Amino acid sequence: MNKSELVERVSKKANLSVKDSNAAVNAFMSVVKESLANGEEVVLVGFGSFLVRDRAARTGHNPRTGEPLSIPAVKVPAFRPGKTLKDSVNQ
């Protein structure tokens, strides 16, 4: 499913116009993005949590030359599904 399909389904489920659904989906994504950028965790009970994880610095290898190179530490966004979501997927 892509974003436009998501907007269409939200529109039908929530009985909203496609324009309003698009605004709601965009606002949700914006708020999650801003919260993660500020180091906050976004918890949706029953669905899951969006969070930021630290990935440690490590040594990698250039696949063409085989020479080692340094990969710096970074922060990466992650999603941890909630129990209700896991249960609904496994039914």
Side-chain angles (χ1 to χ4, degrees), residues 32-86:
V32 170
K33 194 184 313 181
E34 289 170 6
S35 297
L36 294 178
N38 291 331
E40 300 171 336
E41 185 173 341
V42 178
V43 179
L44 303 172
V45 176
F47 185 73
S49 303
F50 296 92
L51 57 126
V52 176
R53 290 194 175 134
D54 293 320
R55 184 177 291 162
R58 60 194 190 280
T59 302
H61 296 282
N62 182 328
R64 284 198 175 153
T65 63
E67 71 183 55
L69 55 104
S70 170
I71 301 172
V74 293
K75 294 182 180 198
V76 294
F79 178 75
R80 184 176 44 227
K83 181 174 177 6
T84 306
L85 179 60
K86 285 183 201 176

Side-chain angles (χ1 to χ4, degrees), residues 1-9 25:
M1 174 187 310
N2 60 29
K3 183 180 173 188
S4 61
E5 293 169 340
L6 175 64
V7 168
E8 186 69 33
R9 287 193 189 180
V25 169

